[in-house]
Structure formats: structure tokens, C-alpha cells
Amino acid sequence: MKHDLLLTCNPGLEEVGIEELVELGYKAAKLDKGLLEIKNAGDEDVMLLNYASKTIHRIMIEVVSCEFSTLDDIYQKCLDVDYSLYVLPNQTFGVVSKRSGKHDFTSIDVSKVVGQAIIDSYLKEKGTRLKVYLKDPDVRFMARVHNNLFWLGIDTTGDSLHKRWYRKLVHITSLKSTIAHSMVRLSNLKNGESETFHDPMCGTGMIPIEAYHYLAKVPNKNRSFRFERLWWFSKEKLEEIKESWKEERVNAFIAASDWNREVVRKARINSMEANAKIRFYLGDATKIPLSSRIICVDLPYGVRMRKVNIPKLYAKFMRNVESSRCERVVMITASRNLKFLKKPKGFVIKKKLWVNYDDLDATIVVMDRVN
């Protein structure tokens, strides 16, 4: 079967996601904040995208895409779909909705209207009333409303792809894996013996692990996907994709450090789970030599760790960067902290990317040395 696909990603990092999809052989376009589209994809494409993509959160088969004025408009659009193409009479279904913008209805109202349209359409086409099971349905429909735009898709992913299998031990400040992977991509990390990469505030290791997996081309292993429950997908084809996937040998040197002994311990455990070869050590990022070509770091935001003196910490870290030998620096912090992030001498800011991270406005800053 051929489908148009809806893909979700971190809002603000759509272009990074599109670049990854191009590398995988797909042409994608941005539809909305955190929402991309791929046209005319096959079932094998759905499986490959779920297995391989590291910047994308979820892949959905697009069922409805439209503008609307009222909930009745949504009902009528959804009513026109032949759901027997996707749901067998003995299968259950559920609807999950996400709404943003100003409306006189809630996400729950959207789910009810869409669910009723699916029931009514199936009853008309097949004479069967589908059963609703919200907790764990056989087929999960996902509705999205943004202002006057509406999308309905069939979830093929299940748990978001950012939930990597190796994240056994986390901390309250652990970075989302898809953001970490996007930062690695923005660092222009290469796979070569002369390449060096360092995260001096590594926390539980998300950035260095994603750096290693980026170079090794590690897919989304050790998990199931929701498309495995859709009747027309071939489990044999999924096994073929897995067997044909080739990981690569990593030649670059990847280091990670932190002042907190406990988080370094957790990072080591996560890296072993991820089978990622990383040099971990204890060290204060404001004092240790920063000799790697690439510095990639998730700076403390001061949101969950109130005792951190953000202005002082950032100033000391930037002075250390200034005296370092690094050529590219990629950092993320809360957008409200940018005023404390003074550009070190000898560097130029190449990019600033706004990112929405768990309802927090964050910014990724990419700097290059110019002398």
C-alpha cells in the first residue's frame, strides 16, 4: 500500500529532521511546528523510517488533512474515509488528540468526534460497529488540531522513538535523546581517527552516546513498533530490514565528563547498555582543558537545579572555551539564559535554533572558531 506520512519531531528542529530523512532517501516537507510530511511512501518505507530515524519521534499514516471551522467539519471529513482499509472488524481502535490554538472545544471533544465518525463510517461500509479500547487498541488513530488545521493519522510507532532502549538510568535534567542526536548532527561530527568530540557536562550521557550511535549508524533496536499490529504489514519484511542493516565501525574519539560522580556512573552504565565506547572521567567543565575539535554540551538551565549560579557558571565556561583548542561548539540552554551566554573571543555564532522542550523554550547555539 502507498501512503502519505506524517512525522513528528522536536519543534524548532524540523530542518535537522528533514536533513536526516534526505540521508535515508526520503524527501520531506514541513507542515507545521514539529510536523513533517512524506508523500507516496510504501509499507517498507514506514518500517525503515521507524527502524532508522533518530531525530523523528513518530511516524503516522495520513488519513485526513484539512482546514476546518467547526467540530462538525472534522466529523464530516473523517466520516468520508473508508476505515476498513486499516481496521479489521474484530479489531479495536482508539483516538488520541492533541490541540493547540484558541478553540471552544477540548482535545477530548476532538477524540469523541473523530471516534464517532470512525464508528459511523465503518458501520455504513461493513455493517459492523467497531469496538473502542483507549488503553491499548489494535489501531491507534492520532488527531492533531492547530488553529484551523486538522490532521488524522494512524500511529505506526508506538512509544516515541526518543525513548531509546539504553536509557536505563536518567537524571532530572537528562536531555531528550532526539535533541541530543540533532545537536550531534549540528556539530558536523565525522568518522575518522583524527576526529575528537567531547561533552564536558555529560550528565547521564545522552549526547556522547548519540554521537557514537550517529557514527556507528545504530538503528532503533530492542523495541517493538505499533505497525506490527496493523494487519497488512509483513513481519518477514521487517526482519529483512533488520538483517540487511549495516552498522559501522567508529574511529573517532568521543569523550564525556562531569563534575558529579553519580551522574558519570549512570552515564557509564547507559553507555554499556548502548554498546557505545566512550571515555568518561570526572572533571569541572570550567577548568579542565577542552582539547577536542568539537564541544557539544547541554548547559544547566537553572530550572530544576535552583542552586546553580547560572551567570557565573556560563561566564567561567565561556572563558574556558575561549582558551581551548576546539573548533566548533554546540550548546543548548533555556532561551531566557541566552543573555548570560557571552560569545567568547575568536568565535562566531553560526546558528541559533529555538527548540520547544517539554514546554520549555530552549535555544541551541552553534559557534565556530574564526582564528
Side-chain angles (χ1 to χ4, degrees):
M1 294 175 68
K2 290 291 185 178
H3 325 275
D4 292 341
L5 304 180
L6 301 170
L7 304 92
T8 62
C9 62
N10 293 293
L13 294 177
E14 295 87 359
E15 291 304 318
V16 180
I18 288 172
E19 288 176 7
E20 182 195 30
L21 294 172
V22 168
E23 291 178 11
L24 292 172
Y26 299 94
K27 182 179 179 181
K30 178 181 176 180
L31 292 179
D32 197 17
K33 288 182 180 179
L35 185 65
L36 308 176
E37 183 181 49
I38 293 176
K39 292 285 192 180
N40 200 35
D43 295 340
E44 188 172 341
D45 299 316
V46 172
M47 291 186 277
L48 178 61
L49 286 164
N50 274 289
Y51 189 62
S53 177
K54 308 305 285 289
T55 63
I56 300 301
H57 291 160
R58 189 176 304 280
I59 295 101
M60 295 169 285
I61 295 170
E62 184 177 313
V63 177
V64 177
S65 176
C66 68
E67 295 184 4
F68 73 96
S69 297
T70 66
L71 281 175
D72 187 61
D73 294 336
I74 292 176
Y75 173 82
Q76 292 298 327
K77 287 290 184 180
C78 292
L79 186 66
D80 291 340
V81 176
D82 182 3
Y83 296 96
S84 64
L85 295 172
Y86 312 111
V87 189
L88 298 176
N90 62 340
Q91 288 186 307
T92 59
F93 83 96
V95 181
V96 176
S97 298
K98 181 179 180 180
R99 183 192 62 82
S100 60
K102 293 183 178 180
H103 306 98
D104 59 358
F105 53 82
T106 67
S107 297
I108 294 175
D109 294 327
V110 175
S111 294
K112 289 180 178 178
V113 165
V114 173
Q116 191 60 55
I118 293 172
I119 289 172
D120 292 348
S121 174
Y122 209 94
L123 193 60
K124 178 181 177 182
E125 292 291 332
K126 294 295 181 181
T128 301
R129 183 180 180 87
L130 288 177
K131 293 181 179 179
V132 177
Y133 183 43
L134 299 180
K135 185 177 180 180
D136 187 28
D138 296 313
V139 182
R140 175 175 288 138
F141 291 88
M142 308 200 78
R144 175 177 174 132
V145 172
H146 181 211
N147 296 329
N148 68 329
L149 301 175
F150 173 78
W151 295 273
L152 180 67
I154 296 172
D155 180 20
T156 71
T157 301
D159 286 342
S160 173
L161 295 176
H162 84 270
K163 296 181 179 180
R164 311 287 204 240
W165 81 92
Y166 66 79
R167 287 173 61 106
K168 298 299 182 182
L169 298 175
V170 295
H171 190 258
I172 56 172
T173 59
S174 292
L175 187 65
K176 185 176 287 186
S177 302
T178 44
I179 295 179
H181 195 90
S182 297
M183 291 175 66
V184 170
R185 286 180 162 273
L186 290 167
S187 77
N188 288 339
L189 177 64
K190 307 298 182 184
N191 196 6
E193 292 183 359
S194 63
E195 183 68 290
T196 52
F197 180 99
H198 183 199
D199 178 359
M201 300 183 188
C202 69
T204 53
M206 301 301 107
I207 290 175
I209 291 172
E210 288 299 320
Y212 190 93
H213 281 187
Y214 169 68
L215 295 179
K217 299 189 184 305
V218 175
N220 294 307
K221 300 190 293 187
N222 304 322
R223 59 161 292 154
S224 60
F225 303 96
R226 185 157 276 275
F227 66 73
E228 296 175 71
R229 299 172 67 173
L230 300 177
W231 68 265
W232 69 92
F233 277 90
S234 166
K235 292 182 179 180
E236 290 76 17
K237 181 59 68 174
L238 175 60
E239 291 307 311
E240 288 178 16
I241 291 173
K242 290 180 178 181
E243 290 174 7
S244 64
W245 188 266
K246 301 297 182 183
E247 295 185 25
E248 296 188 2
R249 182 176 182 273
V250 176
N251 296 313
F253 177 75
I254 298 175
S257 57
D258 202 289
W259 69 271
N260 188 322
R261 185 181 299 274
E262 177 60 17
V263 298
V264 172
R265 183 188 70 83
K266 291 180 178 180
R268 283 197 177 103
I269 292 172
N270 286 335
S271 69
M272 287 189 288
E273 189 71 26
N275 196 27
K277 296 176 177 60
I278 300 164
R279 166 76 166 91
F280 287 102
Y281 61 97
L282 285 173
D284 185 337
T286 67
K287 298 177 181 179
I288 59 175
L290 301 175
S291 56
S292 294
R293 187 182 78 84
I294 297 169
I295 299 297
C296 192
V297 60
D298 176 19
L299 294 168
Y301 296 1
V303 175
R304 296 169 179 166
M305 300 177 68
R306 300 291 184 181
K307 294 181 180 180
V308 176
N309 186 325
I310 295 298
K312 183 177 180 180
L313 174 65
Y314 284 18
K316 291 174 69 176
F317 179 64
M318 286 296 98
R319 285 196 295 270
N320 199 18
V321 168
E322 188 174 299
S323 63
S324 74
R325 293 189 296 171
C326 64
E327 298 176 10
R328 170 157 284 203
V329 182
V330 182
M331 303 171 288
I332 186 171
T333 185
S335 298
R336 62 183 178 81
N337 288 340
L338 287 177
K339 59 183 178 288
F340 305 127
L341 202 59
K342 306 301 181 184
K343 179 174 66 66
K345 293 179 182 178
F347 283 83
V348 61
I349 295 176
K350 302 293 289 187
K351 288 182 180 180
K352 282 187 179 181
L353 299 175
W354 167 87
V355 183
N356 184 255
Y357 179 32
D358 291 341
D359 296 324
L360 174 70
D361 284 340
T363 301
I364 295 174
V365 181
V366 181
M367 301 191 308
D368 281 350
R369 186 180 290 279
V370 291
N371 61 1

